[in-house]
Amino acid sequence: MLSSIRSKVKLGLPSERRPMTAVEIAPEGVLAASVTAPDQAPVYAFEPLEAGAVVPGLSDANLRAPEAVAEAIRSALAKVAPPTHDVTLVLPDTAVRIFVLNFDSLPKRDADTFAVLRFRLRKMIPFDVERAGLRYQVLKQNQDGCKVLVAVLPGAILAEYERAVRAAGYEPGAVLPSSLAALEAVDSMEAALTANLSPLALTTSITNGQDLLLYRTLDLPTDPGLRLEEVKRGIAVAAAYFEDKLTCKPQRLHYAGIGGASRFAKWINEPQLNVVDLTRLPESDRATALHTTDNDPSSATHPPVDITIAGVAGALTTLGKQLHVTLNLATRPFVDFVPAIKQLRVAMVALAVVAIGMGVVQHGIHKKAEADRVRDHSLDSQIARVIQERQGYQDLMRQPANAQVLGHAQALNRLFDEKAFSWTLAMEDLETLLPGGLQVTNIEPVRDKDGHITLRMRITGRRDRALELVTNLERSHRFLLPRIVGETAETSNGPNAKLEPVSASNLVDFELLADYSPATPEERSVDTKPAAGVADSANQLESGSHATEPVAVPVVHHATKKRSAAIASVSPAHRSVAHLESAQTMFNMSGPKHRPMPGGPQ
């Protein structure tokens, strides 16, 4: 998870939050500060260093005694009790170069932006820019151009400072130069002129809201007289630039450096400038073991006059009124896990609520499943008893003494199946689809074991009419999958029969199969119109009434006469079944003498 979050921190656009513990390394010693609670002031501690232990610069090694520096960092941080091992490292101004560059536009990709910045800085810095630590921050961007704040220092020197912090047992999550970090401590909404004086350099800057108008670091000579002249000249140049850019003279100078604001005001001797301290000295109960000029750490309550706390104080400021510096030179930028942990806690609570709800639902489903299993077990037991009982009855019926009863039962079942087929409905459905000029000479229903009915029909008539019938059957909801399975051309018998060419008007006998789906009782109640012709005759046969004229059948075969004679021996309860079978036999007789279906030729 840590690697996935760190991968989201882009180069050049580090996290805006910094660790709430800061440590500044200076030639005089190590100054540490930490905020233990959000609403409390920082706690400060200072550990001195021997002369020559730290020599800040851009060319040679800065830490001449790295073990002593690491021990001073460890001792100073131990006194302020940091809440985490992540710290903000504040470097001397002379170890870092700061530039404010203007561009027409910047590439969208960070890698391309870094390439442009390195190309621009190649002739502006005295070290290898390709191996340097480089970070940038966009100050202002609009249609007129882009203004960028750039910080760069040699990669070896950056690694040297970071190794000392890691050797002390901490991780440098943010790295800033001292004067740039101090700008966040400016407590004014107006444009501010700031000066930071150290034993080696003077840094002047001008901020106007979130814009940085000037940032200039001037190396000072070792001669005291020349040093004072350089300081005065640097302040005068900054004040003139302030007046040129903002069209007004600066009234106040925010000072962060050695000696304090009152002594610095005497040095520069500028009556029109009101020199004020950029940061106030900490209270006695917030300054822990600060070094004093008498080298007695136990009795210290204030920092020495040659140490400024502006760098660490600005590094710990989160809501400054002036420029908010998001630039970070650290090789492993700090990632604030507090918002992520809060979001994870909220997500865990939501997941817990969802889990409880799912547990309740699962418990209900489990109880319902148990009831269903008990019911299924009961039904299985009942089905097993029914199957066992049925098997017993089947074994009983297979006995020789009951074979005759079984035969009668099977015969009755066949009669019931034949009775279930309604000739009236079938002929009514077929009557609406039969084109003129066709004659149905045979209809034979075939019922499968699953109750599926297939009608086998023989039709006589013209070829084109037969094809029209097939099309009508395909569009019907009662006749499914109509197909012609046989075709025979009608020809006159005799040795002198004349051959005729095949055409759509030829008379042909077709054998046609179609799946039949009878209408349900609900569908029958919608359409109450009685069928004509054959339907009336079939209704007379099914009702057993002979009040109307019976169906005229010109020729009756011997099998039909025998079946009619057999009707008299059928019991009155099954007489309607015998009548239906007699009507089916008469309709199934093939030959041109059968009574045609309605719509056929007269």
Side-chain angles (χ1 to χ4, degrees):
M1 178 180 177
L2 178 61
S3 60
S4 64
I5 294 178
R6 285 187 180 273
S7 64
K8 296 180 181 179
V9 181
K10 300 181 180 179
L11 293 175
L13 294 174
S15 175
E16 293 187 0
R17 292 181 59 87
R18 292 187 292 268
M20 297 311 294
T21 300
V23 57
E24 182 175 359
I25 301 176
E28 298 77 21
V30 175
L31 177 65
S34 179
V35 178
T36 57
D39 298 332
Q40 293 183 359
V43 177
Y44 296 90
F46 179 77
E47 282 294 326
L49 289 172
E50 294 183 0
V54 177
V55 182
L58 297 174
S59 56
D60 299 330
N62 284 199
L63 304 185
R64 306 298 172 86
E67 295 82 3
V69 174
E71 182 60 30
I73 294 173
R74 184 183 301 109
S75 177
L77 288 174
K79 295 174 183 178
V80 298
T84 65
H85 286 277
D86 293 305
V87 298
T88 299
L89 176 60
V90 181
L91 302 181
D93 288 342
T94 54
V96 185
R97 284 292 179 262
I98 303 295
F99 298 93
V100 178
L101 304 177
N102 294 305
F103 296 90
D104 293 336
S105 63
L106 287 178
K108 294 182 179 180
R109 294 177 53 195
D110 288 335
D112 297 336
T113 302
F114 277 106
V116 171
L117 293 176
R118 287 190 175 94
F119 179 79
R120 182 82 173 267
L121 296 172
R122 185 170 286 114
K123 295 183 180 181
M124 300 173 64
I125 55 178
F127 50 87
D128 187 7
V129 69
E130 298 297 332
R131 298 181 180 179
L134 175 64
R135 294 296 184 268
Y136 73 94
Q137 175 182 343
V138 177
L139 297 176
K140 184 169 60 175
Q141 188 172 13
N142 51 37
Q143 59 183 4
D144 297 330
C146 182
K147 191 174 184 180
V148 181
L149 174 65
V150 181
V152 60
L153 79 163
I157 293 177
L158 175 62
E160 190 178 11
Y161 282 102
E162 289 186 332
R163 277 197 305 269
V165 176
R166 293 191 181 102
Y170 297 89
E171 178 62 32
V175 178
L176 292 172
S178 179
S179 295
L180 193 62
L183 291 180
E184 295 220 37
V186 177
D187 189 15
S188 174
M189 298 297 294
E190 300 176 353
L193 173 62
T194 308
N196 185 8
L197 178 63
S198 69
L200 300 177
L202 171 68
T203 300
T204 54
S205 59
I206 301 174
T207 57
N208 186 16
Q210 294 300 317
D211 192 10
L212 181 62
L213 303 179
L214 174 68
Y215 190 96
R216 182 169 178 258
T217 299
L218 179 64
D219 293 333
L220 299 178
T222 57
D223 183 82
L226 297 178
R227 179 190 183 93
L228 182 58
E229 292 298 327
E230 286 294 330
V231 170
K232 291 181 178 180
R233 186 181 301 111
I235 297 299
V237 170
Y241 193 84
F242 186 100
E243 183 178 0
D244 180 63
K245 285 293 183 180
L246 300 175
T247 65
C248 63
K249 292 183 179 181
Q251 302 297 324
R252 180 182 299 179
L253 173 64
H254 299 270
Y255 178 69
I258 59 176
S262 58
R263 293 180 60 186
F264 186 77
K266 295 179 181 179
W267 290 345
I268 62 175
N269 192 21
E270 292 284 347
Q272 72 277 9
L273 279 178
N274 180 23
V275 182
V276 296
D277 287 312
L278 180 60
T279 55
R280 296 179 180 179
L281 293 177
E283 301 294 337
S284 58
D285 58 341
R286 309 304 298 177
T288 308
L290 289 178
H291 179 57
T292 61
T293 55
D294 58 1
N295 295 327
D296 185 8
S298 61
S299 62
T301 57
H302 295 286
V305 294
D306 55 352
I307 291 296
T308 175
I309 65 171
V312 293
L316 297 179
T317 303
T318 57
L319 296 175
K321 296 182 179 181
Q322 289 289 329
L323 178 66
H324 177 52
V325 180
T326 60
L327 182 145
N328 186 357
L329 286 164
T331 56
R332 301 175 186 174
F334 168 72
V335 178
D336 187 12
F337 292 101
V338 174
I341 292 175
K342 291 182 179 179
Q343 293 178 2
L344 287 176
R345 288 176 179 174
V346 174
M348 289 174 63
V349 172
L351 288 175
V353 173
V354 173
I356 294 174
M358 293 181 63
V360 173
V361 173
Q362 185 179 6
H363 180 68
I365 294 175
H366 180 71
K367 291 182 63 177
K368 185 178 180 180
E370 286 292 338
D372 292 340
R373 279 193 290 270
V374 173
R375 185 170 60 255
D376 291 344
H377 182 70
S378 176
L379 292 176
D380 291 340
S381 301
Q382 296 178 12
I383 292 173
R385 288 195 299 270
V386 171
I387 293 175
Q388 184 178 4
E389 184 178 357
R390 177 184 176 185
Q391 187 65 34
Y393 289 148
Q394 289 179 352
D395 295 340
L396 180 63
M397 295 300 295
R398 291 192 184 96
Q399 295 179 5
N402 299 325
Q404 185 177 3
V405 177
L406 180 60
H408 289 318
Q410 293 176 349
L412 289 174
N413 289 335
R414 286 194 296 271
L415 288 176
F416 294 154
D417 290 339
E418 294 176 0
K419 177 61 179 175
F421 180 76
S422 175
W423 286 91
T424 302
L425 293 178
M427 286 185 287
E428 286 180 355
D429 295 335
L430 186 60
E431 178 184 14
T432 60
L433 304 174
L434 188 66
L438 290 183
Q439 182 177 4
V440 179
T441 60
N442 192 318
I443 297 180
E444 180 182 354
V446 178
R447 185 186 295 271
D448 297 340
K449 293 182 179 181
D450 58 354
H452 183 73
I453 300 174
T454 301
L455 295 183
R456 180 181 295 273
M457 296 178 286
R458 181 168 293 277
I459 302 168
T460 302
R462 293 168 53 183
R463 175 188 295 272
D464 54 349
R465 296 295 187 178
L467 297 178
E468 184 180 352
L469 174 61
V470 174
T471 303
N472 294 342
L473 293 176
E474 290 176 346
R475 297 174 180 174
S476 173
H477 297 289
R478 299 285 175 254
F479 298 92
L480 308 177
L481 300 177
R483 61 268 187 197
I484 297 175
V485 297
E487 178 180 345
T488 304
E490 286 191 355
T491 58
S492 57
N493 298 327
N496 297 325
K498 183 179 179 180
L499 297 178
E500 296 180 359
V502 178
S503 66
S505 61
N506 291 143
L507 296 179
V508 182
D509 288 340
F510 286 94
E511 186 175 356
L512 188 142
L513 294 180
D515 298 341
Y516 180 59
S517 176
T520 61
E522 292 79 6
E523 294 174 340
R524 296 180 200 169
S525 62
V526 175
D527 187 8
T528 57
K529 181 180 179 180
V534 179
D536 294 335
S537 301
N539 288 333
Q540 295 172 8
L541 290 175
E542 291 181 358
S543 62
S545 174
H546 300 282
T548 59
E549 183 180 354
V551 178
V553 181
V555 178
V556 179
H557 289 223
H558 183 67
T560 304
K561 294 179 180 180
K562 288 185 176 181
R563 191 168 185 85
S564 300
I567 292 176
S569 62
V570 180
S571 62
H574 303 292
R575 190 176 300 276
S576 59
V577 178
H579 280 295
L580 181 59
E581 292 180 350
S582 177
Q584 178 182 353
T585 304
M586 290 185 290
F587 199 83
N588 286 345
M589 293 170 56
S590 61
K593 296 181 181 182
H594 289 171
R595 185 174 183 266
M597 286 290 295
Q602 302 298 325

